[in-house]
Amino acid sequence: MDLRAAIASIPDPEVPVITIEDLGILREVLVDEPARTVMVLITPTYSGCPAMDAIRQHIEHVARRAGYAATVETRLIPAWTTDWMSASGRDKLREFGIAPPDQRSEVAAHPVGVTLTVRRVTCPLCGSTDTEEISRFGSTACKALRRCNQCREPFDEFKSF
Amino acid sequence: MSRNAIDTSVSDHSVSDHSVSGSSVSDTTLTTDAAAYCLQLGDDALIYAQRLGDWISRAPQIEEDMALANVGLDLLGQARELLTRAGQLDGTGRSEDELAYLRDERQFHNVHLVEQERSDFGFEMARMLWFAAYQCELYAALANSSDETIAGVAGKAVKEVDYHRDHASQWVLRLGDGTSTSYVRMKEGLERVAPYVAELFEDDAVSVAVSEAGVGTLPSSLWDSAFGHVSRVVAQATLTLPTDSTWRSRGGRQGIHSRPMGFLLAEMQHIARSHPGATW
C-alpha cells in the first residue's frame, strides 16, 4: 500500500468505522520521495474536538513506519462541513448504527426559527422516519442522540454541520 | 503594575520582531491592536468554557450535562485558536497555555457576563442565549476578516455557536412557556443577566482600531441583530425582556473584573502554576 493510501485509511478515533478520508478532513498529502518526507494537510471538524490530536499522532506514526518524516498542518479555510463526507462513509455509518448527516445543500435555507425544532431523521436500524430527539448533544462533539419510536432503539445521529 | 509590565513587553517586542507568521497584519500598532482583540475574544470563550465545565454532574438532566460540556468544548477550541493567534501577533511568542494559565486577573480582557458564577439553570440559559446571539453575529462578521487566521476560526466557529444559540433558544421557549415555576425562574434568569449584556456590545479603542483596519468588527454593530434574535425568542416564550437596569457591568475589557473572577482563575490555573512546565 502506498503512503497516501495508508494515511487515507487511518480510522477516526471516535468513530472507527470511517476513515479520515471518508470523513472529509484529509485535504492533501504531499510526498517528497527523495527527501522521504510527507506533508499532510487536514481540516479540523469542531474547534475543540480532542480527536484531532490523536489523528495527528496517528498520521505521524503511519508515515514513520513507512520510512517518512511527516509534518501535519491544519487548514482552516474553507471550514469543514459534513457535505465533505463520502457516500461510502455515510453507508458505513448507517451500517454501524449511526444516522449519517443530511446533505446540507439539499436542505432549503431558512431563517432561524423561534419555534421548537422538529427534524426528520431516519432510524439507521429499521429505516423508520418516526424518530425523536433525546439529546441535542451526544458522546462526541459531532453527534446527537435519538430514539426510534418504531423499533424503540436509541441511536446516534451524526449532526449536519 | 503587572499590566504595565505586559504592555511594555508587548510594544518592545512588536517593534523589534516582525516574525508574525501567516499574517496579513503588518503595521506595528495595528498588530498590537489585533493581538489585544484576539485576547478579548479568546478570553470570553475561555472563561465561559471554564464556567460551563462547572455544570458537569450538576445539570438538571444527564443529557444537559453533556450539552453544556459540549458547548464549553467548542468554546475552548475557539479560545485555543484565538489565544495562539494573540501570542503570534503580539510578538511575545507566548503559547495558548502560557496565555491561559500564566496571566493574572488584570491581564484578562473578558466581559463580566462570562465570569459570573454558575447558579440557576434559568440564569445559565439566559446567559447562553445572549452570549451565543452575540457570538453568532460576531463570527459571521469576522469570517470576512483581513486576518486569515481570524477569518478561518470565525468561519468554523459561526456554525458551532449557531447550534449553541439554538440550544439556548429551545430551553428559553420551553421554560418560559412551561410551568408557572419554570416561567418565574426563566424570568429571574433574564433579569439577573440583563446588567451584564451591554458590556458585550461596547466599542473600545481596540475594537475601533481593528474594525477600521478590516481585521475586526465594532461590537456596537452587532447589537441590532443579536437583540432581534433574543427579543423574538423571549416574546415567543411569553416572557418580556427586563427594562433598563439601574446598573451595568463595565471594565472587563480593561482587565477590571468582578469578585468571582479570581476564584475562577485560581481553580483553572492552579495545576499549571503548582507544577510549572509539567507535561503529560
Side-chain angles (χ1 to χ4, degrees):
Chain A
M1 189 158 50
D2 76 343
L3 182 60
R4 196 200 177 282
I7 289 172
S9 65
I10 290 173
D12 177 85
E14 299 278 9
V15 190
V17 287
I18 54 173
T19 66
I20 57 175
E21 181 157 60
D22 289 332
L23 192 56
I25 63 172
L26 183 64
R27 306 313 295 167
E28 273 183 61
V29 178
L30 305 166
V31 186
D32 183 342
E33 280 297 344
R36 302 295 283 177
T37 58
V38 59
M39 150 100 122
V40 182
L41 275 168
I42 54 177
T43 293
T45 54
Y46 285 76
S47 300
C49 183
M52 293 313 297
D53 289 330
I55 290 170
R56 185 173 294 116
Q57 283 169 13
H58 204 149
I59 291 172
E60 286 164 1
H61 173 75
V62 164
R64 194 162 48 241
R65 214 172 39 192
Y68 294 82
T71 325
V72 182
E73 294 203 353
T74 54
R75 179 190 280 171
L76 294 175
I77 299 176
W80 177 79
T81 153
T82 42
D83 288 352
W84 294 355
M85 191 181 287
S86 67
S88 74
R90 288 165 201 273
D91 291 342
K92 287 183 214 163
L93 278 184
R94 204 176 292 111
E95 283 160 27
F96 189 60
I98 298 175
D102 297 333
Q103 288 282 358
R104 266 183 87 88
S105 40
E106 289 172 14
V107 179
H110 57 86
V112 174
V114 289
T115 51
L116 295 176
T117 307
V118 181
R119 285 175 311 109
R120 227 169 86 123
V121 177
T122 305
C123 171
L125 307 167
C126 76
S128 168
T129 53
D130 181 14
T131 64
E132 63 183 358
E133 183 177 88
I134 299 174
S135 173
R136 301 169 59 72
F137 294 84
S139 53
T140 64
C142 54
K143 288 181 292 189
L145 194 58
R146 297 185 73 89
R147 167 169 50 217
C148 177
N149 292 322
Q150 208 61 47
C151 69
R152 305 304 296 166
E153 289 290 333
F155 63 91
D156 276 328
E157 174 203 1
F158 206 106
K159 294 186 286 198
S160 294
F161 187 73
Chain B
M1 195 183 95
S2 54
R3 191 171 146 69
N4 285 340
I6 285 293
D7 285 348
T8 311
S9 73
V10 166
S11 52
D12 282 354
H13 281 81
S14 303
V15 171
S16 60
D17 181 2
H18 285 274
S19 61
V20 174
S21 61
S23 168
S24 42
V25 177
S26 51
D27 176 75
T28 305
T29 322
L30 175 58
T31 307
T32 309
D33 285 329
Y37 186 65
C38 286
L39 274 188
Q40 293 186 355
L41 308 188
D43 286 348
D44 279 353
L46 174 68
I47 301 302
Y48 196 31
Q50 176 71 13
R51 269 296 171 237
L52 286 170
D54 232 15
W55 276 100
I56 297 171
S57 82
R58 297 184 174 98
Q61 314 168 329
I62 195 166
E63 290 81 4
E64 201 53 31
D65 266 11
M66 283 199 297
L68 296 172
N70 267 292
V71 172
L73 185 63
D74 286 342
L75 293 174
L76 189 61
Q78 296 159 19
R80 291 184 60 182
E81 303 272 8
L82 289 165
L83 294 185
T84 299
R85 187 69 184 133
Q88 293 167 353
L89 285 169
D90 72 10
T92 60
R94 284 177 293 178
S95 68
E96 50 177 304
D97 281 350
E98 287 173 276
L99 286 166
Y101 296 126
L102 301 179
R103 278 181 299 158
D104 289 334
E105 182 173 331
R106 292 291 290 271
Q107 294 155 352
F108 277 82
H109 299 279
N110 54 282
V111 292
H112 288 202
L113 174 71
V114 295
E115 70 199 34
Q116 298 313 304
E117 283 167 326
R118 168 181 61 81
S119 61
D120 189 72
F121 187 69
F123 169 81
E124 201 58 75
M125 287 304 108
R127 164 156 68 177
M128 187 183 289
L129 179 63
W130 270 115
F131 187 63
Y134 156 79
Q135 277 195 315
C136 276
E137 305 306 328
L138 172 74
Y139 287 139
L142 291 184
N144 301 312
S145 168
S146 60
D147 183 273
E148 266 188 31
T149 307
I150 295 177
V153 172
K156 168 173 294 302
V158 69
K159 298 196 280 183
E160 295 165 355
V161 297
D162 182 64
Y163 202 74
H164 306 168
R165 184 179 67 169
D166 192 45
H167 184 69
S169 302
Q170 302 284 313
W171 270 117
V172 173
L173 288 175
R174 282 195 171 88
L175 296 173
D177 198 8
T179 67
S180 54
T181 304
S182 72
Y183 173 88
V184 168
R185 285 171 62 176
M186 198 58 244
K187 177 173 174 289
E188 286 172 357
L190 287 167
E191 285 164 359
R192 289 187 44 217
V193 161
Y196 299 100
V197 171
E199 194 184 357
L200 275 175
F201 300 94
E202 269 163 22
D203 301 337
D204 65 354
V206 167
S207 54
V208 168
V210 293
S211 108
E212 278 169 5
V215 170
T217 187
L218 280 180
S220 60
S221 69
L222 310 172
W223 166 259
D224 284 347
S225 304
F227 175 76
H229 178 85
V230 170
S231 52
R232 276 196 301 280
V233 171
V234 166
Q236 185 74 31
T238 75
L239 293 154
T240 44
L241 274 178
T243 47
D244 263 353
S245 49
T246 50
W247 64 280
R248 51 171 64 175
S249 67
R250 59 194 169 93
R253 297 287 184 225
Q254 288 77 49
I256 312 294
H257 293 282
S258 57
R259 194 192 61 89
M261 184 66 176
F263 293 93
L264 180 149
L265 289 181
E267 190 170 70
M268 187 178 86
Q269 297 183 331
H270 104 265
I271 299 250
R273 292 208 187 235
S274 301
H275 305 278
T279 55
W280 57 89

